[in-house]
Amino acid sequence: MQRLGPWSREAWAALALQLLRPPRAPCAGGTRDLGPQQMIIREKILTAVISCFKRHGAKGLDTPAFELKEVLMEKYGEDSRLIYELKDQGGELLALRYDLTVPFARYLATNKIKKMKCYHIGKVWRRESPSITQGRYREFCQCDFDIAGHFDPMIPDAECLKIIYEILNALQLGDFLIKVNDRRILDGMFAVCGVPDNKFQLISASVDKLGKMSWKDVRQEMVGKIGLAPEVADCIGVYIQQHGGVSLVEQLLQDPKLSQNKQALEGLGDLKLLFEYLTLFGITEKISFDLSLARGLDYYTGVIYEAVLLQTPARQGEEPLGVGSVAAGGRYDGLVGMFDPKGRKVPCVGLSIGVERIFSIVEQRMEATEKIQVTETQVLVAAAQKNFLKERMKLIAELWDAGIKAEMLYKKNPSFLTQLHYCEETGIPLVAIIGEQELKDGVIKLRSVASREEVDIKREYIVTEIQRRMSES
């Protein structure tokens, strides 16, 4: 994929309409079919993602599409209501998995694994209304990378952020920003501002809406809906509207209120160390310490992060506008212990790549800039005259046996023009033509579909010639 220039506001608006467009029948609401062209694009994305995961030493993992209901419940905060529950199956209460993190934690506990680095690709299901999800479907694919085990602080966390950086760069999606925060800083901030313990979770969910909603609306929700005292909400507002780099971390370490809270100090200390490692990895220009980042899932215990694409400013001096999260993750040190009979904890940190939003963006760009070949076929075996089916079958078998990706039309006597049209429609670059004269001369005529140039190749060299041309393309 070639790198594209910045998108205009009109282009982003067109993408938004595409994301919000309801799926066509007969798919269920919030799901969609993917045709051959779309599958090629998805495979390109997944190849780039998996290649990065493997480069960092991850092993593959898969878990069932459904879990015992008790495994999933009470892990996602208010989003637990979005879990798809299944009917009683022979005495088992089951539910479709909501994400890949909880099944991974259950897998570690079940198999008594204390150290693992793995990637996990699979579909998940959420009972959301597709009319309000803005590109989030009820069924979608997640690509997760996780590191489990006891290690020195912030080293695996820094690697997870580096992986997000590498993947977004490789996919050439445009400018992006990775926001980081720490749940301990949030909890410490809530405590020093005077939030009652029983409202931490509700206030955290409200804070996470900043960016989607204005501070005025978030404050109104805190005060009017949750019942927080106005002065407490104002105290929170002073903190969560701040963002910056390591200098903000250092500033908050000296904050008169936060510096008196043990949890906040621990979180700020780890973030300072994280920024030191991210500097060594050379990615701090894409990292922002954002105190409004909350990540609503209950299982996060430490560092959290979220990557967003940035819309190019229309006028000089404007702030870049976020156009949606494309990756997220964080540290969840207590989740495995929830599934262990003895409560033994295995510290974990991980990330999830948002394939659906990335897919929509890459799909629109590729359709606008390049013809998408829907197959990987390298050569079509064709005949210019009738009664050459057996010769075509012999030749294609020879090509298949040599590992060449080849096709032929499933007709005894297809017209030559039909065979050439098929190549043009599907993007097949070469045609291997056999006819009476070629058979008599012991050659195969090799035709380039793009240039229409034809050359006779001795039959015994046809495999070598096709392989040479494919290696050069």
Side-chain angles (χ1 to χ4, degrees):
M1 288 181 282
Q2 69 183 70
R3 186 175 294 278
L4 303 176
W7 277 21
S8 66
R9 285 178 177 266
E10 290 76 14
W12 283 116
L15 174 59
L17 288 173
Q18 178 179 325
L19 290 172
L20 291 168
R21 188 177 297 131
R24 297 173 182 170
C27 283
T31 66
R32 58 178 171 173
D33 296 319
L34 295 179
Q37 285 195 343
Q38 293 168 313
M39 284 303 299
I40 290 293
I41 297 170
R42 172 161 292 210
E43 286 169 8
K44 285 177 180 284
I45 294 169
L46 293 179
T47 297
V49 171
I50 294 172
S51 173
C52 182
F53 289 165
K54 289 183 174 181
R55 188 165 63 246
H56 285 262
K59 304 169 186 174
L61 175 70
D62 192 23
T63 62
F66 54 85
E67 296 273 356
L68 292 172
K69 179 182 171 182
E70 64 191 51
V71 167
L72 302 181
M73 300 308 288
E74 309 303 327
K75 308 297 190 305
Y76 305 106
E78 63 178 17
D79 285 348
S80 291
R81 60 187 170 79
L82 302 178
I83 292 173
Y84 268 108
E85 299 177 30
L86 304 178
K87 286 186 177 180
D88 188 330
Q89 303 293 320
E92 287 187 324
L93 296 178
L94 306 175
L96 295 177
R97 62 189 179 196
Y98 178 92
D99 67 4
L100 301 179
T101 305
V102 170
F104 171 62
R106 191 264 311 151
Y107 171 83
L108 292 177
T110 302
N111 293 279
K112 297 180 172 61
I113 296 172
K114 297 181 179 179
K115 184 187 294 185
M116 188 177 191
K117 182 191 290 187
C118 75
Y119 70 89
H120 192 179
I121 312 289
K123 287 189 175 181
V124 299
W125 294 265
R126 297 181 185 178
R127 198 172 57 192
E128 294 183 291
S129 172
S131 64
I132 61 171
T133 54
Q134 299 186 359
R136 294 182 182 177
Y137 293 81
R138 287 174 172 170
E139 176 188 72
F140 55 96
C141 177
Q142 282 192 336
C143 300
D144 282 21
F145 175 99
D146 293 274
I147 301 172
H150 291 270
F151 302 105
D152 289 339
M154 295 298 103
I155 299 175
D157 309 64
E159 182 171 8
C160 286
L161 289 165
K162 181 71 163 70
I163 288 169
I164 293 175
Y165 176 92
E166 289 178 6
I167 288 172
L168 297 184
N169 261 344
L171 294 174
Q172 300 179 354
L173 300 174
D175 200 11
F176 62 90
L177 186 69
I178 306 173
K179 302 176 182 180
V180 300
N181 199 3
D182 194 295
R183 288 299 285 263
R184 294 167 295 177
I185 298 173
L186 277 172
D187 288 348
M189 176 182 65
F190 294 157
V192 302
C193 285
V195 178
D197 291 351
N198 63 350
K199 292 186 176 179
F200 273 26
Q201 187 176 326
L202 292 172
I203 296 301
S204 180
S206 292
V207 168
D208 203 39
K209 296 174 184 176
L210 191 62
K212 305 178 187 76
M213 295 165 51
S214 68
W215 163 242
K216 180 181 177 181
D217 292 335
V218 170
R219 183 185 184 279
Q220 177 59 37
E221 180 175 286
M222 289 179 176
V223 175
K225 184 177 179 181
I226 301 174
L228 203 63
E231 63 272 15
V232 175
D234 292 336
C235 177
I236 293 172
V238 171
Y239 286 113
I240 66 172
Q241 295 182 80
Q242 299 184 63
H243 54 86
V246 69
S247 59
L248 178 57
V249 177
E250 292 169 343
Q251 175 187 322
L252 292 176
L253 280 167
Q254 305 302 318
D255 184 87
K257 292 182 178 179
L258 282 182
S259 61
Q260 302 304 309
N261 183 276
K262 183 181 177 183
Q263 268 192 307
L265 279 178
E266 288 176 356
L268 288 166
D270 277 352
L271 273 191
K272 185 175 181 181
L273 182 60
L274 178 65
F275 267 96
E276 182 180 330
Y277 294 153
L278 297 179
T279 300
L280 296 172
F281 283 157
I283 64 171
T284 50
E285 81 280 0
K286 295 294 186 183
I287 307 294
S288 173
F289 173 30
D290 191 325
L291 283 153
S292 70
L293 180 64
R295 304 286 299 146
L297 303 179
D298 279 3
Y299 51 66
Y300 287 122
T301 57
V303 171
I304 51 176
Y305 33 83
E306 180 178 270
V308 295
L309 299 184
L310 300 176
Q311 181 175 330
T312 304
R315 293 181 295 274
Q316 189 172 4
E318 273 190 6
E319 282 289 317
L321 301 175
V323 294
S325 170
V326 290
R331 176 160 288 280
Y332 51 102
D333 289 348
L335 189 56
V336 177
M338 294 183 184
F339 303 113
D340 188 281
K342 296 182 179 179
R344 288 169 293 202
K345 294 183 178 181
V346 178
C348 297
V349 65
L351 64 96
S352 183
I353 302 296
V355 174
E356 304 304 332
R357 185 172 290 273
I358 291 173
F359 171 77
S360 296
I361 294 168
V362 175
E363 177 186 27
Q364 186 164 344
R365 291 187 180 186
M366 288 187 69
E367 287 179 347
T369 60
E370 58 184 277
K371 181 177 174 61
I372 301 170
Q373 183 180 346
V374 296
T375 75
E376 295 185 7
T377 304
Q378 298 167 321
V379 59
L380 180 79
V381 175
Q385 292 107 18
K386 294 183 178 181
N387 301 319
F388 273 85
L389 175 62
K390 291 182 180 179
E391 293 302 325
R392 285 192 291 140
M393 295 182 80
K394 288 178 185 177
L395 178 56
I396 200 169
E398 185 179 336
L399 299 182
W400 285 337
D401 291 344
I404 292 171
K405 298 168 183 174
E407 287 186 66
M408 61 179 234
L409 298 193
Y410 302 131
K411 285 195 172 185
K412 287 184 177 179
N413 298 304
S415 75
F416 188 55
L417 191 59
T418 297
Q419 295 170 90
L420 293 181
H421 281 168
Y422 180 75
C423 291
E424 291 173 353
E425 289 171 3
T426 57
I428 299 174
L430 297 174
V431 189
I433 305 166
I434 190 165
E436 291 180 5
Q437 191 62 45
E438 287 79 18
L439 196 59
K440 180 180 177 181
D441 295 343
V443 299
I444 300 295
K445 192 178 297 293
L446 195 60
R447 176 186 176 107
S448 166
V449 175
S451 68
R452 302 185 179 181
E453 179 186 359
E454 296 180 347
V455 59
D456 288 341
I457 307 294
K458 285 192 174 294
R459 175 66 181 258
E460 59 266 31
Y461 298 137
I462 188 64
V463 167
T464 304
E465 177 62 18
I466 292 173
Q467 290 173 334
R468 183 189 68 79
R469 292 200 186 194
M470 290 299 98
S471 66
E472 293 176 353
S473 63

